[in-house]
Amino acid sequence: MPLTGKERRHLRALGHHLEPVVIVGSSGVTEGVIAAIEQALNDHELIKVKINEGPEGRHEGADAIAEATGSELAQLLGRTALFFKRRKQKSRFEDVLKGPHEPRPAPKPEEEKKPRRR
């Protein structure tokens, strides 16, 4: 199920402080890299991956990782990609799929303003 724009925005905010846990080297996206990313996704659900120069570009590499792991690409900023894959049980991100933010309360009616002194 693809993420909505609000869900992606919320995941980007949560992933801002994260450091890359997997680095894709000059060999590109290999089976070993995919296995490491799948393990990290099972452990953390939301991870950053650094995609260095390789046989494919950063866009193709990020798409290949998302397809191979069954995860969602939440952000691709420079050479750093943010991936999300929700666990079936004991997910820390239940609120992401329900809606990240509650609506703000309606503003209170303004009282009569006193004239400003100059």
Side-chain angles (χ1 to χ4, degrees):
M1 179 169 106
L3 297 172
T4 64
K6 286 185 178 184
E7 291 169 344
R8 284 183 196 279
R9 185 175 0 157
H10 186 63
L11 288 172
R12 287 194 311 259
L14 293 173
H16 175 74
H17 71 282
L18 298 177
E19 294 292 323
V21 293
V22 178
I23 298 175
V24 178
S26 61
S27 300
V29 180
T30 62
E31 291 178 14
V33 169
I34 296 296
I37 292 172
E38 283 180 340
Q39 181 62 46
L41 282 168
N42 288 335
D43 293 343
H44 305 289
E45 295 182 272
L46 183 67
I47 63 168
K48 276 188 180 177
V49 176
K50 177 100 175 189
I51 304 173
N52 289 327
E53 292 287 334
E56 66 261 344
R58 60 190 173 103
H59 294 283
E60 293 84 12
D63 292 339
I65 291 169
E67 184 177 331
T69 60
S71 62
E72 291 287 332
L73 179 64
Q75 181 180 33
L76 181 63
L77 186 63
R79 296 204 164 273
T80 305
L82 184 68
F83 293 98
F84 174 71
K85 184 176 181 183
R86 184 174 172 263
R87 279 189 228 131
K88 296 190 188 323
Q89 298 175 349
K90 297 183 181 179
S91 176
R92 296 183 326 163
F93 296 95
E94 288 292 330
D95 63 332
V96 171
L97 299 177
K98 292 179 184 174
H101 305 289
E102 294 183 15
R104 291 184 178 173
K108 296 179 183 178
E110 294 185 27
E111 298 176 7
E112 288 186 36
K113 293 184 180 180
K114 295 181 181 178
R116 289 176 44 178
R117 294 178 66 176
R118 292 185 184 221

